[in-house]
Each structure stands twice: as structure tokens, then as C-alpha cells.
Amino acid sequence: QKEVEQNSGPLSVPEGAIASLNCTYSDRGSQSFFWYRQYSGKSPELIMFIYSNGDKEDGRFTAQLNKASQYVSLLIRDSQPSDSATYLCAVTGGGNKLTFGTGTQLKVEL
Amino acid sequence: DAGVTQSPTHLIKTRGQQVTLRCSPKSGHDTVSWYQQALGQGPQFIFQYYEEEERQRGNFPDRFSGHQFPNYSSELNVNALLLGDSALYLCASSPRGGGGNIQYFGAGTRLSVL
């Protein structure tokens, strides 16, 4: 079982819709949870981080964490073509090592 | 305010050679982490440096070594290069006092081993 699992996609959504990206993790001791966006040929860009159960909102982005079910999700409201990218979920445990999933490719269609 | 800067941007080496990659953290950051990202994969943690010492290491062989300087900049050295070392090498820095888990990436160095 992979430590951090994501559906590779592609996930296609129409412009203006809500995109929902999901991630599960295997280590119950995981403490911090991150979403990065990576455009093709570029480096990962930090979008959100969340530490506690519940929702955290920042502009069009909402991160949701459920530690009991070991999943974290990212919602993107009013999706734009510029949101088309690969979204990487990452978690940390007791140390500062980020463990990444393989990413979900999001395509926002006009 | 410059972000995390890495050099060089691209590098081509042959098997068996050695390579040094460089990273300057963002202003106000004191912790540097290195990752390797193969095509189609998520980044894999190599190690993290804080106060000029390796604080944590991932599952990479001893051919991968690093250093952090008093100005917080860092180097990644890879010896005896293998074809499988071809990847995007990412440096990430973390804010001072933040514990090192919030990490901001540089643009990366793309290494090709022929």
C-alpha cells in the first residue's frame, strides 16, 4: 500500500464548476497535510496546508481533513482554465519529510 | 524578494561522473530540504539541513550527500552517477522558527545522465 494515494486522473471539469481532489494516507501518525500545484515542466507551488480536522478556506480553495478516515481533499470553486495542472498531496509525520502522492491531473475545460 | 533559487537549471552528465547542485533559500528561511522527482512521480525526500547539519534523511544511498553553509545556502552532491539519477532535483526552504515542515520549492535543476 502506498503511503499517500491519489487518483492520477485526468479529472476534467467545466469552467466555473467545483473541482474536488482527494487523497488518502496510510500513516495514522501523520500530522501536517499539504496541497501543491505543479504546472507541466515547473516546480510544485504550495497552495494550502491544514493541521486540524475540518475545513480551511483560502479564496477559491478549501482544504478538508478527516483524520479518522485518513483522507484529505481540496476543493477548487469557480474552476478556471489556469487551474489546469497536477495537484500533489503531501503529508508529514513526526519529522519534516514531506511524503507525496503521485498527483492528480486536473483539466478545466472551456 | 527573491524566492528559493537553484543553479544550474539544466545539467547533462555521463554515468560515473559527480555533480553538485546549489540552492539559496528564501530570505528569512533557515531550513533547506532536497527532493528528487522522476517523470510522472511525486517528489521523493532526500534530506533536510538545519543549522548546517543533516536533520533527517530519506531512503537514498550514500552517493547522495549534502552541505549547508552559515548563510543557509545548501549543496547537493551526487557521486558515481547512474542513469536512474536522471530527474528533476528540487530544493525547498522553510521559514525560520517554523519547524521545517512548511516548504517552498525552487524552480529545480533538471539533471540528465547519459
Side-chain angles (χ1 to χ4, degrees):
Chain A
Q1 182 189 11
K2 291 183 180 177
E3 294 180 77
V4 179
E5 295 209 46
Q6 297 181 255
N7 188 319
S8 61
L11 171 66
S12 294
V13 300
E15 184 179 6
I18 296 175
S20 177
L21 303 158
N22 300 312
C23 168
T24 59
Y25 59 94
S26 60
D27 183 0
R28 281 199 172 274
S30 297
Q31 299 177 351
S32 306
F33 306 85
F34 303 84
W35 284 99
Y36 285 84
R37 177 175 64 197
Q38 187 170 28
Y39 291 112
S40 180
K42 303 295 185 183
S43 62
E45 173 191 5
L46 181 62
I47 299 175
M48 297 277 295
F49 56 88
I50 185 168
Y51 300 142
S52 305
N53 277 330
D55 295 0
K56 179 181 178 183
E57 188 174 317
D58 184 2
R60 296 187 296 114
F61 300 99
T62 300
Q64 299 175 316
L65 175 61
N66 183 323
K67 289 187 177 180
S69 299
Q70 294 176 248
Y71 85 79
V72 57
S73 62
L74 179 70
L75 301 178
I76 306 175
R77 288 180 298 281
D78 189 24
S79 296
Q80 302 297 310
S82 58
D83 295 325
S84 298
T86 296
Y87 289 80
L88 296 162
C89 171
V91 307
T92 63
N96 297 317
K97 161 190 167 183
L98 285 172
T99 300
F100 284 86
T102 54
T104 298
Q105 184 184 6
L106 173 67
K107 292 185 176 181
V108 180
E109 298 168 334
L110 295 170
Chain B
D1 177 25
V4 182
T5 58
Q6 292 187 242
S7 62
T9 53
H10 294 86
L11 206 49
I12 299 174
K13 292 286 188 177
T14 56
R15 277 185 302 171
Q17 286 189 312
Q18 178 263 344
V19 68
T20 297
L21 310 181
R22 295 177 174 82
C23 172
S24 292
K26 187 177 169 63
S27 177
H29 290 198
D30 62 357
T31 302
V32 173
S33 306
W34 287 92
Y35 292 80
Q36 179 196 66
Q37 187 176 24
L39 205 59
Q41 302 297 315
Q44 298 290 313
F45 177 78
I46 303 175
F47 39 54
Q48 183 180 81
Y49 277 85
Y50 172 70
E51 292 188 340
E52 301 179 53
E53 295 207 352
E54 183 182 288
R55 180 154 72 175
Q56 191 174 2
R57 188 179 181 92
N59 201 18
F60 278 79
D62 292 344
R63 299 187 296 110
F64 290 77
S65 63
H67 190 79
Q68 186 179 34
F69 300 94
N71 66 352
Y72 309 119
S73 67
S74 177
E75 288 182 349
L76 164 65
N77 300 292
V78 187
N79 294 323
L81 284 167
L82 303 173
L83 295 179
D85 294 331
S86 295
L88 179 66
Y89 287 84
L90 296 161
C91 169
S93 70
S94 304
R96 192 171 297 133
N101 69 340
I102 298 177
Q103 300 177 23
Y104 298 89
F105 286 92
T109 294
R110 189 163 297 281
L111 172 65
S112 298
V113 182
L114 305 178

